[in-house]
Amino acid sequence: MGGRYPGIRTPHRTTDKMLRWWLSQLILPTLLARYAFADVVNTASLKWTLTNTNGTIKIPSTGPPNQAHLDLLNAGIITEPLLGINDFTQRWLVTEDWTYTADISPFLKSSAFQQSKKTLLVFYGIDTIANITLAGQPVAWVNNQFRQYVFDVTHLLASPKNTELVVALESAWTYGLNFEYPGVRQWVRKVASDFGWDWGPAFVPSGVHKPAYFVTLTSPNGKKQTIGTPPVSPDVNGINTPSPVFIEENSVDIYKLGQSFSVAPSEGADWVVNVTLGVQSSTDFQSPSLTLAFSELGVSKTFKVSTIRTSPPDGLNWINAVWRIPDSVPKRWFPHNLGNPQLYNLTVTLDLPSGKNAVDSVSFDTRTGFRTIQLVQSPYTQEDVQTRGITPGDNWHFNVNGKPFYALGTNIIPFDPFYARTTTDQVKWVIESAVKSGQNMLRVWGGGTYQPSHPSVAGGVYDFYSLCDEMGILAWSELIFSDSLYPINDFLLESIEPEVRQNVRRVNRHPSNAQWAGGNEIEGIITTAAQTLQNGTHYLDEYVALFQDFLQPIVTSETRSVPYTDCSTTTGVLSLDPYQLRLRNATPGDIYGNGERYNYDASVAFDYSTFPVIRFMNEFGFHSMPSFYTWEEVLTSSSDFSFNSTVVMSRDHHPPAGNLAFPNPNAPQGQGQMTMAVEDWLPRPVDSLSNPNQTFAQWCYSTQVFHNLAMVAQVAWYRHGAGKGENNLGALVWQLNDIWQGVSWSSVEFSGRWKVLQYGLAGVFLPVTIYPFWTAQNETLEVLAISDRWEAVGGSAQLTWYDWKGNTLSSAKHTFTVPSLNNSVILQQTGLQTILPDGHNATEVWMLLNLTAKVDGRTVTNEQWFVPTSLANAKLEDPQISITRTNDLTFTLSAKGGVAAWAWMDHPSGTMGIFVDVNTGLPANGFFLVPGIDRTLRFEMNPTLSRVKNPRPEDFAFRSLWNNTHI
């Protein structure tokens, strides 16, 4: 239940473990007293224990939400799972069966229970295979981490055989081994990456990972109750008044009149606000009504709804109201870079008249918005082909509020290996990092979990979709299926259908939700299997049965406001009505669907002929090391701080081992790819016997510099495709966040520290950006201004050649106008000797590109750099850096010698935040520092995530590529 308790003071040195025990002994009676007249009781207020398979471990548990690893950590039996090689040494936890037991006697003695007419046991999430018993009697066996479960336990508590609530968890690993086919995760409705991925560990946690409650329903009493957005944890005030009903599910779907999965929204049509409640009740109500109101808009309406029963045929009362609001009444929600993410409070009031002329009332506010989002998959017309120069094929892009836009963003994975300890603060920083870097879309990867709406909605634990709503960032959502040939049988489908329905209903209210994709990468796997495996068409038939014929009707029956597509990477559709996938039914030369790209051959990292020409890129990436400071969080020995140390390599899971071998026998391949990338394109860090930590730090930084170079080149390529035949309108980088401290594709490290790429994205994701496209094969340089604005944009670009001492060799100014969603050529030259300044070769010079444009009444500036050869060959000069530091964490950087290529500021361990340019206010780090052109950066700290609240300015470090060879 949380909260502060006045009058209780704890000694500063009291440990968390001692404090939890003390509070449980002192405050438990107080908590239950607070709930004496309540109808929602958090089971975390009860006394819980955790035991292993044979009973040799029996420890206190803090109760839901929790997982076995976390309770063992709190008890001091294991150390932090993310330390060292604990992902290997703690594997014994995976094969154990863990049992959680709670003493429910305080609840049975409470007035809340004794005055109840009906008692529900609500689990918002169990991870994953569990047998539940209550009062010595069976409740249910469950096997799906992504479902909420509500059980009527009135009859069980009427004659209890004991006073225990028991959740007996079976190892998900051993459960999966019960099936005859190889592999485990496709048989278990659990976070797929819990079993390991190429960017994360395999802890396979188990527990009651979301809150659980007893809900007691009273007889009608004529009282009014205000609750939070259902399905609700304790209400907005922390205490509920008695009520005869509980809102188990809630859907708010806002769309245009006539809109459906196969019918595009008519932008001028009325809005439809479709509200559905799933209600549990202790009493029959013959004439209930539902009132909907947007007070900020001055509109409301009351609807008579269907009779509410104590025992409805399917176990839940479904009531529904469909309200039409003229298009002109609300303002629309937009992604932050295209407009204002306007939100409104919708007040929903359920009135329940009883025979005593009394009316029980339950009311809640929920935050929502009005927008249309469409996934356009229609064929391009002959006019598009002939007049606009579009390559034949199908559209594949999103429209928001009737307009096509460029989707700029990244992919997200789970925020922590243990869902139960994920916090809103850490997630908010990741989403803020996306917004600060100019992103307007995050893809919620299908191998993770359904992201929560808010901590208090359906036991969410932390916030996600509500944050996306507020910050104006779209969330491409996926059903949880990834990279497997999923079996089709009634046993599986019976569990999947309620899972999907519950999550679609819950997410409907969020205007940030952009679509539902059936899963991740499976279409390509399955079509390949159909061609290469014996009887492979069997697998293709099963795929069509699941993702076309089964999941699509479920999703589209629950929402009209967002599209469905079968897979994250898809060749699109032959038809939307009836829904028929294209699969391999393609016309040669035409372009369909979207795509992904992973190429680990660094020698062709900037060869545009290897880049896909595609309508939309939803995944592309390269891996890099986390920073030295992040390694400090988990490495426990000085000998570990080396690029190829056993512990560091054990955290490179690319390519995955495919078995339980430790350390990953394939790690040398992934390490080698990063090594070769650095050696091909950057000065190789020298081995320093006197300062090996600095060598390691430069290696970590160098892998990030290449990572940035490679990804920014691809983003620029896809963005410029908006003005080409492919009409590319999407680039989502793999990936944004990390799940632990290790080798990964992320642009933000596990602690929240920005990598070089995250700053690079802040530049290349600007509304108007400049980029030098160099084609080595024909020695052609093409400099483009690229815009994602809906209106034409004018501006100027300054192109300046320097030598590595910082001398200006030549400079030219160019003006440009970029049409809507297009690009404009600023410079085009062929022949290296023609391009280079007279008297200089490629190793001696580089070009600074500066762009200035007016966008939405404000000035946008962007800088990029062109080096006509590999930086490994460049004749770098000692930059002789001077730094002026102030106590407000402002740093003025000066190069007194030569140019500092990829100048980089590191903030010290324990601090979290970003560097911004004091002149532009934009994120700035990882740039070319030129003598005579000082840069002043301010460190904007996140005080919530920073353990060190007052870092010393002298603890902020500087590095550049010069330091690779001068350690």
Side-chain angles (χ1 to χ4, degrees):
M1 286 176 282
R4 296 184 179 183
Y5 303 94
I8 296 176
R9 300 185 65 183
T10 52
H12 290 299
R13 299 189 64 173
T14 300
T15 66
D16 288 345
K17 182 179 173 184
M18 292 169 60
L19 179 60
R20 277 190 293 272
W21 178 86
W22 183 46
L23 291 176
S24 71
Q25 302 304 307
L26 180 63
I27 298 174
L28 181 58
T30 305
L31 293 176
L32 290 171
R34 288 178 62 191
Y35 276 97
F37 301 101
D39 67 350
V40 176
V41 177
N42 190 337
T43 64
S45 65
L46 304 174
K47 182 179 179 181
W48 287 84
T49 58
L50 174 67
T51 55
N52 67 337
T53 307
N54 62 10
T56 55
I57 296 175
K58 186 174 183 179
I59 58 173
S61 168
T62 56
N66 222 328
Q67 288 159 300
H69 284 77
L70 304 182
D71 281 316
L72 293 166
L73 174 62
N74 290 337
I77 293 176
I78 63 172
T79 56
E80 164 57 49
L82 296 184
L83 277 177
I85 58 170
N86 280 350
D87 59 314
F88 170 65
T89 61
Q90 294 178 2
R91 280 183 180 171
W92 62 273
L93 279 80
V94 175
T95 56
E96 292 278 352
D97 296 334
W98 296 99
T99 299
Y100 282 95
T101 304
D103 177 10
I104 64 169
S105 55
F107 170 68
L108 296 178
K109 296 174 184 176
S110 69
S111 298
F113 171 68
Q114 293 176 2
Q115 296 177 12
S116 70
K117 189 175 180 181
K118 184 176 184 178
T119 303
L120 307 173
L121 177 58
V122 180
F123 288 96
Y124 282 124
I126 297 176
D127 181 13
T128 295
I129 316 300
N131 197 42
I132 306 167
T133 58
L134 179 66
Q137 301 166 82
V139 176
W141 177 82
V142 299
N143 66 337
N144 191 318
Q145 182 178 4
F146 310 120
R147 287 178 59 179
Q148 67 180 47
Y149 296 99
V150 178
F151 306 108
D152 184 345
V153 294
T154 310
H155 62 294
L156 299 180
L157 296 178
S159 54
K161 296 181 179 179
N162 63 34
T163 58
E164 292 183 341
L165 168 60
V166 179
V167 182
L169 294 148
E170 180 181 351
S171 162
W173 165 249
T174 55
Y175 170 81
L177 292 174
N178 291 327
F179 298 94
E180 60 185 283
Y181 289 107
V184 167
R185 58 186 172 82
Q186 69 266 36
W187 296 98
V188 187
R189 295 307 298 152
K190 176 175 173 57
V191 172
S193 61
D194 281 353
F195 296 95
W197 220 264
D198 53 3
W199 36 254
F203 286 109
V204 198
S206 64
V208 186
H209 70 296
K210 292 186 178 182
Y213 301 90
F214 281 115
V215 177
T216 59
L217 306 183
T218 64
S219 299
N221 51 43
K223 293 187 177 180
K224 297 184 182 298
Q225 180 178 196
T226 300
I227 63 174
T229 300
V232 68
S233 307
D235 70 27
V236 290
N237 300 313
I239 301 176
N240 290 326
T241 55
S243 176
V245 297
F246 173 69
I247 302 175
E248 182 178 320
E249 290 202 59
N250 166 36
S251 173
V252 178
D253 198 27
I254 300 179
Y255 49 89
K256 286 292 186 174
L257 184 66
Q259 179 182 351
S260 69
F261 169 71
S262 58
V263 178
S266 174
E267 297 300 324
D270 286 352
W271 292 103
V272 176
V273 180
N274 189 338
V275 177
T276 302
L277 304 180
V279 179
Q280 293 271 5
S281 180
S282 67
T283 307
D284 291 348
F285 293 99
Q286 299 299 324
S287 303
S289 64
L290 198 63
T291 299
L292 309 179
F294 286 102
S295 59
E296 297 151 287
L297 299 174
V299 294
S300 65
K301 190 167 184 177
T302 299
F303 301 84
K304 295 295 182 182
V305 293
S306 56
T307 298
I308 292 177
R309 305 289 185 190
T310 305
S311 302
D314 65 352
L316 197 60
N317 295 281
W318 291 102
I319 59 177
N320 175 251
V322 180
W323 184 20
R324 286 175 58 175
I325 297 177
D327 173 71
S328 59
V329 172
K331 294 180 180 178
R332 297 197 181 203
W333 183 97
F334 280 90
H336 71 95
N337 70 327
L338 298 174
N340 179 42
Q342 178 68 52
L343 295 171
Y344 297 100
N345 282 323
L346 169 64
T347 300
V348 180
T349 303
L350 176 61
D351 287 323
L352 305 162
S354 61
K356 304 173 184 176
N357 295 321
V359 178
D360 283 80
S361 179
V362 178
S363 180
F364 64 89
D365 286 344
T366 193
R367 199 84 165 139
T368 189
F370 294 78
R371 62 89 183 93
T372 64
I373 189 81
Q374 179 192 7
L375 176 57
V376 183
Q377 299 183 81
S378 57
Y380 280 101
T381 65
Q382 274 302 113
E383 182 180 359
D384 290 327
V385 175
Q386 294 174 355
T387 304
R388 297 176 56 199
I390 302 295
T391 304
D394 289 356
N395 287 270
W396 209 99
H397 67 264
F398 293 93
N399 283 3
V400 64
N401 294 320
K403 292 183 177 181
F405 70 98
Y406 204 98
L408 299 166
T410 50
N411 292 255
I412 64 165
I413 60 173
F415 298 97
D416 193 287
F418 306 101
Y419 182 99
R421 72 176 182 185
T422 306
T423 69
T424 293
D425 288 335
Q426 73 184 98
V427 175
K428 183 178 181 181
W429 176 247
V430 170
I431 299 174
E432 284 179 342
S433 296
V435 173
K436 289 175 186 291
S437 60
Q439 302 178 41
N440 60 23
M441 182 177 284
L442 296 176
R443 175 176 161 237
V444 182
W445 175 68
T449 191
Y450 296 96
Q451 291 296 331
S453 296
H454 186 271
S456 68
V457 177
V461 176
Y462 61 91
D463 199 337
F464 181 78
Y465 282 104
S466 292
L467 289 173
C468 291
D469 291 346
E470 293 165 10
M471 295 187 202
I473 195 159
L474 289 161
W476 160 331
S477 303
E478 294 187 0
L479 307 180
I480 307 304
F481 300 89
S482 182
D483 291 304
S484 286
L485 308 181
Y486 283 87
I488 303 297
N489 55 57
D490 291 342
F491 173 74
L492 183 70
L493 299 184
E494 286 172 2
S495 176
I496 290 173
E497 181 171 355
E499 164 201 321
V500 173
R501 291 191 184 279
Q502 288 172 359
N503 284 286
V504 173
R505 290 168 189 152
R506 174 180 56 81
V507 174
N508 272 343
R509 73 178 175 97
H510 297 286
S512 57
N513 190 32
Q515 74 155 335
W516 284 105
N520 170 63
E521 295 182 327
I522 310 173
E523 183 185 303
I525 294 172
I526 217 76
T527 50
T528 300
Q531 292 181 325
T532 59
L533 298 180
Q534 188 175 6
N535 298 321
T537 54
H538 162 74
Y539 298 106
L540 184 59
D541 291 343
E542 287 194 339
Y543 178 83
V544 170
L546 179 58
F547 292 96
Q548 173 183 290
D549 301 335
F550 183 74
L551 291 173
Q552 187 268 350
I554 292 173
V555 172
T556 56
S557 70
E558 295 292 350
T559 179
R560 288 175 173 243
S561 64
V562 298
Y564 169 89
T565 188
D566 69 301
C567 190
S568 60
T569 304
T570 176
T571 51
V573 297
L574 291 173
S575 167
L576 289 177
D577 187 15
Y579 183 55
Q580 186 177 3
L581 301 176
R582 178 174 296 281
L583 301 173
R584 292 196 180 275
N585 299 305
T587 301
D590 287 12
I591 304 177
Y592 304 96
N594 61 353
E596 60 181 55
R597 178 185 188 262
Y598 293 96
N599 188 316
Y600 299 105
D601 180 357
S603 67
V604 295
F606 309 104
D607 182 349
Y608 302 116
S609 68
T610 69
F611 290 10
V613 175
I614 197 76
R615 306 291 190 201
F616 193 110
M617 280 297 290
N618 67 282
E619 273 194 50
F620 54 100
F622 198 90
H623 49 314
S624 64
M625 287 275 189
S627 67
F628 180 90
Y629 295 104
T630 290
W631 281 117
E632 282 188 311
E633 298 169 8
V634 293
L635 300 183
T636 59
S637 171
S638 59
S639 62
D640 294 337
F641 288 84
S642 172
F643 191 84
N644 290 317
S645 73
T646 300
V647 182
V648 167
M649 289 188 68
S650 78
R651 289 179 179 241
D652 188 342
H653 291 186
H654 169 67
N659 53 50
L660 296 177
F662 182 90
N664 175 19
N666 297 326
Q669 184 175 335
Q671 296 289 101
Q673 290 164 352
M674 289 187 292
T675 301
M676 288 185 284
V678 170
E679 291 178 342
D680 281 353
W681 297 103
L682 306 171
R684 188 186 194 280
V686 297
D687 294 325
S688 172
L689 296 178
S690 62
N691 196 350
N693 280 359
Q694 185 64 18
T695 296
F696 183 47
Q698 290 297 133
W699 266 110
C700 294
Y701 151 83
S702 296
T703 66
Q704 291 190 21
V705 170
F706 173 80
H707 182 200
N708 172 70
L709 285 166
M711 292 306 98
V712 167
Q714 283 200 63
V715 171
W717 171 262
Y718 303 127
R719 283 195 67 175
H720 105 295
K724 303 292 184 178
E726 61 267 31
N727 193 28
N728 181 291
L729 290 176
L732 307 182
V733 177
W734 185 272
Q735 67 205 61
L736 177 58
N737 64 306
D738 258 333
I739 197 171
W740 73 336
Q741 304 91 335
V743 174
S744 86
W745 290 247
S746 74
S747 57
V748 176
E749 297 175 13
F750 179 69
S751 63
R753 183 183 294 267
W754 282 25
K755 287 184 175 180
V756 179
L757 173 59
Q758 186 66 13
Y759 287 98
L761 294 180
V764 77
F765 278 168
L766 283 168
V768 185
T769 188
I770 190 170
Y771 195 78
F773 292 89
W774 167 248
T775 304
Q777 291 89 332
N778 61 6
E779 295 188 349
T780 297
L781 175 64
E782 186 176 55
V783 178
L784 299 182
I786 305 168
S787 172
D788 67 3
R789 297 296 87 188
W790 283 327
E791 68 284 345
V793 173
S796 63
Q798 190 81 31
L799 309 184
T800 305
W801 281 100
Y802 291 94
D803 63 20
W804 289 109
K805 291 181 179 179
N807 297 313
T808 301
L809 304 178
S810 65
S811 187
K813 187 173 182 178
H814 305 259
T815 59
F816 62 83
T817 300
V818 187
S820 171
L821 284 170
N822 214 309
N823 58 72
S824 179
V825 177
I826 291 174
L827 174 71
Q828 189 170 42
Q829 291 181 305
T830 300
L832 182 58
Q833 292 309 311
T834 302
I835 296 168
L836 295 177
D838 291 342
H840 294 277
N841 64 44
T843 66
E844 299 170 338
V845 297
W846 64 282
M847 181 193 289
L848 174 64
L849 301 87
N850 288 111
L851 174 144
T852 303
K854 282 287 186 181
V855 175
D856 300 329
R858 63 188 178 93
T859 300
V860 171
T861 61
N862 179 230
E863 63 179 349
Q864 297 289 345
W865 309 272
F866 170 60
V867 181
T869 185
S870 165
L871 280 162
N873 303 323
K875 295 180 179 179
L876 301 180
E877 298 278 344
D878 183 356
Q880 300 176 30
I881 300 298
S882 171
I883 304 178
T884 303
R885 307 167 189 261
T886 64
N887 288 332
D888 67 350
L889 304 183
T890 298
F891 306 88
T892 299
L893 311 180
S894 300
K896 303 299 185 182
V899 176
W902 295 104
W904 179 254
M905 286 291 291
D906 259 330
H907 51 92
S909 295
T911 60
M912 195 50 55
I914 64 169
F915 295 94
V916 299
D917 188 296
V918 296
N919 294 318
T920 66
L922 296 175
N925 207 355
F927 46 78
F928 282 37
L929 182 64
V930 181
I933 307 177
D934 293 352
R935 299 290 292 266
T936 302
L937 309 181
R938 181 178 63 254
F939 183 67
E940 294 186 347
M941 193 161 68
N942 181 323
T944 304
L945 295 182
S946 294
R947 301 188 309 277
V948 178
K949 305 299 183 183
N950 296 293
R952 301 186 309 162
E954 55 267 33
D955 290 337
F956 286 72
F958 176 90
R959 69 184 79 249
S960 73
L961 290 184
W962 177 257
N963 300 110
N964 279 11
T965 52
H966 296 78
I967 293 176

